[in-house]
Amino acid sequence: MSNPDAIAAVTATLQSILFQGLKDDFSGIDVTMRPLDKARQDNETNNRVNLFLYQVVRSAAWVNADMPRQVLPGEIGNPPLPLNLFYLVTAYGKDNDVAAPSGHELLGAAMSLLHDHPILGAEEIRLATQGPFPDSDLDRQIESVRITYHPISLDELSKLWTGFATPYRLSAAYEADVVLIESKRPTRSSLPVLTRGPDDSGVTAQGDLSSPLPTLEAVTPPKKQPSARLNEELVVTGLHLDGTSVQIRFDHPLLATPILLAPSAGGTATELKVTIPNQPANWPAGYYNVSALVTRTGETFERTTNELPLALAPSATLAVSGNAPGVVILTATCAPEIWPGQRASLLVGSNEIVADPHPAQTDTLTFKIDKAVAGTFRYRLRVAGVDSLFVDRSVTPPVFDETQKVVIT
């Protein structure tokens, strides 16, 4: 595996290959690695090949791959940074090709050398980098670096030279694939598994698609209601809900810790019943996440089921102060208590009235109607998006709750 010096090591190796292969046939040859606008100065007339790294891209083939022989099955490795390097090879002939097209001859020789070196050998890399980059580890990389000709259009070449504001020179592009730079994050490796279960019995198989683990399928309020109220019984249905210890957990955003309740006696593996206690100060209205905690027979640890939503509805009785058409104050006695930050409103007929501020937890809310209209109106209290239950759905057809009316005179 390579380290961040590997990019420079590839460039240095290519420079060495070109120089060693060209020095005997071209007098005064040098191989530079300058940007395009610095590759040839006005006072320079010798033979030169310029090797310019113009682009670095991530290799799609290695982007999520663990390194072979470094990450064993079951371990969580960190993939290396895989890079493809793109070089532009430009030749400058002696005396700037005034007497003969020496640059063309030089470019052909350079391309022939790279054609004959499709893979950077480990010894070539060590010899080229032993001075400037001795610790790049590129020579020990598990995947060899391959050098291939990279077809590039005249338009792309022109953009490269134009970007450096320098006249175009005949060039050839090459790709070096791939450089694997090792991640510095540690690999995670778990301890081996000694047994597959109690008494090394292995996994448990069953002949259907139902979950083998404790699972909730429904949390049902009584009387076909969409939500539950304090002191009402819920029916919790699911799979594998039996065990030596079973609890129902209720989680609400306002609660510091979830509430745990023991189900009623007589529960089965598929059905439990639990009653929400009549504790208005401890159970804020709104939406809860309900799950079951089950310790199964023969196990010493607790399993947690999936979560299902449950709406806990408020209830309210109203007292009226004032007369229409003036200001009327409606005072609601609520259960559960309303917590600070909970939005509470009263829907009287088709009009919504927001409660006066309640900075502390309270069971009393006031609602002000500036221009009241006389009449008898059905009302419902809405807290945290959950309405009080004002429709009796246990009969067919459903009927309104006649107790939730307010008379304004």
Side-chain angles (χ1 to χ4, degrees), residues 32-107:
T32 59
M33 298 165 289
R34 300 176 182 177
L36 298 182
D37 58 332
K38 306 294 184 183
R40 188 70 154 183
Q41 303 299 322
D42 293 338
N43 60 343
E44 295 173 331
T45 60
N46 63 308
N47 288 313
R48 171 171 295 169
V49 173
N50 189 65
L51 184 68
F52 173 54
L53 176 61
Y54 70 91
Q55 188 177 23
V56 178
V57 300
R58 193 169 63 164
S59 172
W62 284 85
V63 67
N64 289 319
D66 290 327
M67 287 302 298
R69 301 196 297 271
Q70 289 192 14
V71 179
L72 301 179
E75 295 181 348
I76 301 175
N78 296 304
L81 172 62
L83 299 176
N84 292 351
L85 313 181
F86 293 85
Y87 291 90
L88 199 65
V89 178
T90 307
Y92 298 88
K94 184 178 180 181
D95 298 327
N96 294 321
D97 297 341
V98 172
S102 302
H104 297 184
E105 179 187 9
L106 185 55
L107 181 62

Side-chain angles (χ1 to χ4, degrees), residues 20 49 73 210 240 245 283 301 338 391 395:
Q20 296 299 328
V49 173
S210 61
H240 309 292
S245 174
W283 289 74
F301 56 90
I338 312 302
V391 175
V395 297

Side-chain angles (χ1 to χ4, degrees), residues 279-297:
Q279 299 173 356
N282 299 332
W283 289 74
Y287 289 95
Y288 287 76
N289 289 325
V290 181
S291 58
L293 307 179
V294 180
T295 302
R296 304 200 321 192
T297 303

Side-chain angles (χ1 to χ4, degrees), residues 17-32:
I17 290 172
L18 290 171
F19 180 74
Q20 296 299 328
L22 297 172
K23 66 178 182 177
D24 294 334
D25 296 327
F26 295 88
S27 61
I29 184 76
D30 64 3
V31 180
T32 59

Side-chain angles (χ1 to χ4, degrees), residues 124-264:
E124 289 177 323
I125 296 172
R126 282 193 289 270
L127 290 174
T129 60
Q130 61 184 354
F133 310 107
D135 300 320
S136 70
D137 293 335
L138 182 66
D139 57 312
R140 294 186 292 171
Q141 182 175 279
I142 190 171
E143 183 75 6
S144 299
V145 179
R146 293 171 171 82
I147 307 300
T148 56
Y149 176 76
H150 178 64
I152 186 170
S153 68
L154 183 60
D155 180 62
E156 292 176 289
L157 274 173
S158 300
K159 289 179 179 178
L160 272 173
W161 288 91
T162 303
F164 286 89
T166 190
Y168 169 75
R169 291 296 298 255
L170 185 62
S171 306
Y174 285 84
E175 178 182 1
D177 175 19
V178 59
V179 174
L180 302 174
I181 298 178
E182 185 174 7
S183 173
K184 294 183 178 181
R185 293 183 297 171
T187 299
R188 294 178 57 190
S189 177
S190 58
L191 294 174
V193 176
L194 299 181
T195 59
R196 296 163 293 177
D199 301 321
D200 200 25
S201 60
V203 298
T204 301
Q206 61 184 45
D208 56 53
L209 297 179
S210 61
S211 173
L213 303 175
T215 305
L216 294 188
E217 295 181 336
V219 179
T220 308
K223 301 179 182 180
K224 301 180 181 179
Q225 299 168 179
S227 52
R229 290 175 291 200
L230 296 176
N231 206 34
E232 289 188 338
E233 186 178 65
L234 303 173
V235 177
V236 180
T237 55
L239 300 171
H240 309 292
L241 300 179
D242 55 331
T244 56
S245 174
V246 180
Q247 292 180 300
I248 309 299
R249 182 172 66 183
F250 296 82
D251 196 6
H252 188 282
L254 294 178
L255 296 175
T257 56
I259 298 175
L260 300 178
L261 296 179
S264 304

